[in-house]
Amino acid sequence: MDNREQMNIVIVGHVDHGKSTVIGRLLADTGSLPEGKLESVKEYCKKNSRPFEYAFLLDALKDEQAQGITIDTARCFFKTGKRDYIIIDAPGHIEFLKNMVTGASRAEAALLVIDAKEGIRENSKRHGHIVSMLGIKQVVVLVNKMDLVDFDNNIFNSIKSEFTEFLDKINIKPINFIPISAFNGDNVAGKSANTLWYEGPTVLEQLDGFANKKENRQLPFRMPVQDIYKFTEENDDRRIVAGTVLSGTVKTGDEVVFLPSKKRSVINSVEGFNTAPAHTVYADQAAGFTLKTQIYIKPGELMVKAGETQPVLSSRFRVNIFWVGHVPLIKNKNYKLKIGTMRIAVKLVEILNIIDAAELNIDTFKDQVERHDVAECILETAKPIAFDAISDIELTGRFVIVDNYEISGGGIILEGVPDSDNSL
Ligand code: GDP
């Protein structure tokens, strides 16, 4: 396998505004379609006296995939000279939102498609909300079907200013608006002669310009402590701190900090399990460490490296939750939060926003989070815990909530928030 960089992008937009056409165009114009596929679908349409649609092309591809081993109808793949892209269409909202909010899949960027002729629809706004709740920072708006409005600069500008104003309210600052005709290919892979007034990048140039997430190894060191082992020999009171490294790297001689206890020590040795001792361990490896000084720490703490960016230590944080519990999530009830190896009592203290994932209705007045809702809320743990905002380090920014021994929700931490009072 080659080591090409991969990026996940999500595409959203009101039905019929042109998502499938944008995807089909991207596949076709980057040469990512199986040979002859485009021609055979066009031929089929001609024979059956139907106008060609990129949506048929995608359906044909999906049928083919479904017969193969990987059944993954919501994703399409294409590549540019720079990297491989996985474009995630959001057809079944519930599965999609669940995967995104629980971290099963992540997108680094979002494309929001708006029909230039129809303009902004209620769903365009809902999708904007979803992108905001998923914490996706790199957002580009594609103003599609510009051919239907004669590539009119004024229409483009008025959509741009109206939508910018709306997105601003939900904390999205789009990187760019691109006038396109997905059907004809204007400004998708090549610059359009029909929009000489537009000086920005094409869709493909824009995609290649997105920043990708960093490799886990390049991030600060994080290891949730799974266990503390004692050596079995008599007179040996050394302990091994064991866990799986989520991100970063650490080596013998490094100073480490355990959070939330804030205890510090220096790594004396790195012990391998069934392997020779190593000096350095990396993200994704299971490892055990002995320390230079005897400190008493507990499983559940987060081991980090001194001198690197530290995680947030807080008992209050703003999160997005996807709730799957049969009983609604309610305020001030005790739940259990699992994050890394930490298990701690948690309460819902405030609901900021709710999206009903099935209908995509946005509700700011509900006072409980029901099954299949996505909610932006504030949680509070019984004591401060260590975590990272999802935008900094994904693996330490995810959690699940357990209600009555059942996993009832999962989510991502957006940021730590100051305590409103010190009553806890
Ligand atoms: P989706 O529901 O968002 O996936 O929308 P589709 O991609 O299926 O497009 C809906 C309809 O709009 C189809 O009939 C497309 O051919 C048409 N369409 C999409 N993009 C364009 C465009 O740039 N110009 C024109 N004239 N029609 C388009």
Side-chain angles (χ1 to χ4, degrees):
M1 264 196 49
D2 57 4
N3 262 339
R4 279 175 56 90
E5 187 187 319
Q6 267 199 354
M7 180 183 270
N8 294 323
I9 47 178
V10 51
I11 184 161
V12 290
H14 187 73
V15 64
D16 278 349
H17 279 200
K19 277 185 308 166
S20 310
T21 310
V22 169
I23 298 173
R25 251 297 152 191
L26 285 169
L27 264 65
D29 290 359
T30 55
S32 307
L33 289 171
E35 207 170 306
K37 196 81 218 169
L38 186 60
E39 291 72 21
S40 73
V41 174
K42 280 188 173 164
E43 189 61 30
Y44 174 85
C45 290
K46 208 168 145 195
K47 255 197 208 147
N48 292 279
S49 318
R50 299 172 74 171
F52 168 75
E53 288 286 350
Y54 278 96
F56 300 155
L57 175 72
L58 294 191
D59 288 345
L61 287 176
K62 285 170 184 174
D63 280 350
E64 222 160 75
Q65 279 177 10
Q67 287 163 20
I69 298 162
T70 46
I71 303 175
D72 194 347
T73 49
R75 289 156 187 253
C76 284
F77 302 85
F78 64 95
K79 44 181 81 196
T80 64
K82 179 160 179 173
R83 51 167 93 104
D84 294 349
Y85 290 92
I86 300 170
I87 188 156
I88 310 166
D89 193 356
H93 293 119
I94 291 180
E95 267 312 296
F96 165 75
L97 282 171
K98 184 173 148 200
N99 287 344
M100 295 290 282
V101 175
T102 55
S105 65
R106 288 280 300 151
E108 269 67 60
L111 300 176
L112 259 158
V113 182
I114 293 183
D115 182 323
K117 192 157 181 219
E118 278 210 5
I120 299 159
R121 298 286 297 265
E122 201 49 40
N123 258 347
S124 320
K125 294 188 176 178
R126 287 174 180 164
H127 289 133
H129 258 289
I130 288 170
V131 167
S132 167
M133 287 184 86
L134 294 173
I136 302 173
K137 292 270 154 55
Q138 306 184 94
V139 178
V140 164
V141 182
L142 307 181
V143 181
N144 187 31
K145 306 196 192 180
M146 285 299 294
D147 54 298
L148 297 183
V149 295
D150 296 328
F151 295 95
D152 187 338
N153 189 356
N154 294 325
I155 292 181
F156 173 77
N157 282 337
S158 78
I159 290 179
K160 182 175 170 178
S161 61
E162 190 188 339
F163 208 41
T164 303
E165 196 180 312
F166 166 75
L167 292 175
D168 195 54
K169 287 189 204 140
I170 54 171
N171 285 323
I172 296 183
K173 310 238 171 308
I175 297 178
N176 197 11
F177 282 72
I178 310 182
I180 65 167
S181 165
F183 196 82
N184 299 318
D186 295 79
N187 291 330
V188 177
K191 264 210 173 350
S192 169
N194 296 316
T195 53
L196 294 175
W197 44 265
Y198 171 74
E199 289 175 346
T202 62
V203 178
L204 274 185
E205 284 167 351
Q206 186 74 64
L207 292 175
D208 278 352
F210 284 142
N212 209 349
K213 67 168 181 227
K214 283 196 182 153
E215 295 290 321
N216 287 341
R217 266 189 195 197
Q218 296 167 326
L219 296 166
F221 173 74
R222 303 285 187 257
M223 188 189 89
V225 176
Q226 182 82 47
D227 240 318
I228 316 285
Y229 299 107
K230 289 185 189 154
F231 277 77
T232 43
E233 287 87 20
E234 261 181 64
N235 303 327
D236 191 345
D237 68 347
R238 284 181 305 157
R239 283 149 198 267
I240 294 185
V241 180
T244 299
V245 179
L246 295 182
S247 62
T249 149
V250 77
K251 61 181 189 313
T252 318
D254 281 345
E255 188 183 5
V256 289
V257 187
F258 294 87
L259 296 170
S261 73
K262 296 188 182 165
K263 289 180 182 163
R264 287 171 174 260
S265 191
V266 171
I267 293 178
N268 179 53
S269 69
V270 179
E271 309 285 327
F273 295 108
N274 304 320
T275 56
H279 282 295
T280 311
V281 278
Y282 301 97
D284 302 328
Q285 292 179 327
F289 304 94
T290 64
L291 302 172
K292 287 227 161 112
T293 48
Q294 194 60 272
I295 54 172
Y296 291 92
I297 45 174
K298 294 190 200 123
E301 295 213 57
L302 187 63
M303 180 177 171
V304 307
K305 211 153 92 177
E308 285 191 331
T309 307
Q310 299 293 295
V312 182
L313 198 58
S314 173
S315 56
R316 256 180 188 253
F317 31 93
R318 189 164 64 88
V319 302
N320 284 335
I321 292 180
F322 187 87
W323 192 249
V324 291
H326 292 278
V327 186
L329 169 68
I330 53 171
K331 284 187 205 164
N332 298 320
K333 174 179 160 181
N334 260 322
Y335 297 92
K336 191 189 279 175
L337 181 95
K338 291 190 186 184
I339 180 165
T341 51
M342 173 68 83
R343 311 277 177 273
I344 189 162
V346 69
K347 281 180 182 169
L348 167 67
V349 289
E350 197 179 338
I351 298 173
L352 302 169
N353 240 317
I354 294 188
I355 291 181
D356 157 3
E359 302 297 330
L360 293 191
N361 290 325
I362 299 159
D363 200 329
T364 39
F365 304 105
K366 266 181 27 184
D367 64 353
Q368 60 179 21
V369 183
E370 279 152 32
R371 186 172 167 81
H372 294 161
D373 281 348
V374 173
E376 180 183 351
C377 23
I378 308 278
L379 298 182
E380 189 166 87
T381 44
K383 288 181 184 161
I385 58 165
F387 58 84
D388 291 281
I390 192 84
S391 54
D392 293 333
I393 305 183
E394 215 180 298
L395 295 163
T396 39
R398 284 185 204 153
F399 61 87
V400 297
I401 293 184
V402 177
D403 182 21
N404 221 351
Y405 304 103
E406 264 184 40
I407 291 185
S408 299
I412 54 180
I413 303 185
L414 302 169
E415 61 174 358
V417 292
D419 288 353
S420 60
D421 59 41
N422 290 323
S423 59
L424 269 172

